[in-house]
Amino acid sequence: MSWYEFLLFVHISAAAIWLGGAFTFQMYGTVVRRGGDTDEMARFAGRAGVLGERMFVPASLVVVLAGVGLMIEGSWDWGQLWVIFALVTFAASFVTGLLVISPMAKRLPEVGPGTPAGQELIRRIFTVLRIDLAYMYAIVFAMAVKPTTDDGWTILVAAAVLVALTAIFLSPLRGGALEAPAAVPAD
């Protein structure tokens, strides 16, 4: 086995954990929310936060580090369209996690996950995570298809799909900012 093949295995394995875990969280979160048990949703949101820190962050870092290793070992050109698209999309996902998801998740214990305000915050977090999942799929698309400037329309279509999905996923929230709602006083 070559060093390149090893890095490719690590890169793909970490991407499978990152993407598969995020997809599973979305599906399970949807089932739990539709079940209507606010306590179960609060437990799930808390556990998802812990798993995110212990599984998703390390997996995403391994994806990037192995990807950098693949670029170097494979003598890939950093200026290729698919590389730029993937790096920009990853950066958008990373910044979203750092500046939007993490602060929202940190407010959850303050608001109380079982309260109406906490449930609204959980709904907003999962909405942003759904957008982030779309970005992850776009990265995998770029890695698999490797479009060049000769077929730049492929990247334009992928970007248009991301914009459309972002608008669709955000549409239920259009009445307010992506901030946690103020705590609702208990009756």
Side-chain angles (χ1 to χ4, degrees):
M1 173 186 326
S2 70
W3 183 239
Y4 184 87
E5 290 168 331
F6 174 74
L7 287 170
L8 184 60
F9 168 75
V10 170
H11 185 69
I12 292 171
S13 296
I17 291 167
W18 187 25
L19 184 63
F23 180 81
T24 301
F25 270 23
Q26 278 297 320
M27 295 301 102
Y28 188 69
T30 299
V31 169
V32 170
R33 283 199 73 238
R34 287 185 181 160
D37 184 343
T38 57
D39 290 335
E40 184 181 5
M41 189 64 204
R43 281 189 305 277
F44 173 70
R47 290 177 181 142
V50 170
L51 278 174
E53 288 178 359
R54 294 184 183 166
M55 182 177 69
F56 294 133
V57 171
S60 69
L61 292 175
V62 169
V63 167
V64 171
L65 293 174
V68 168
L70 286 166
M71 292 295 295
I72 294 167
E73 186 68 22
S75 299
W76 290 97
D77 177 12
W78 289 91
Q80 294 181 83
L81 182 60
W82 63 273
V83 173
I84 295 167
F85 177 80
L87 289 173
V88 167
T89 306
F90 175 81
S93 173
F94 182 81
V95 168
T96 299
L98 184 66
L99 300 179
V100 179
I101 297 168
S102 181
M104 289 171 70
K106 287 178 181 174
R107 290 213 45 221
L108 195 54
E110 296 170 22
V111 191
T115 66
Q119 290 297 302
E120 175 62 17
L121 182 55
I122 290 169
R123 184 178 72 81
R124 289 173 179 267
I125 290 169
F126 272 92
T127 296
V128 176
L129 286 171
R130 195 169 299 121
I131 294 165
D132 197 51
L133 181 62
Y135 278 73
M136 287 183 218
Y137 272 104
I139 293 168
V140 171
F141 173 79
M143 296 291 104
V145 175
K146 293 181 177 36
T148 65
T149 53
D150 291 338
D151 50 1
W153 62 270
T154 305
I155 291 294
L156 288 176
V157 169
V161 168
L162 283 178
V163 169
L165 287 173
T166 300
I168 290 167
F169 293 150
L170 285 177
S171 65
L173 303 179
R174 67 180 142 213
L178 287 176
E179 296 293 323
V184 177
D187 293 323

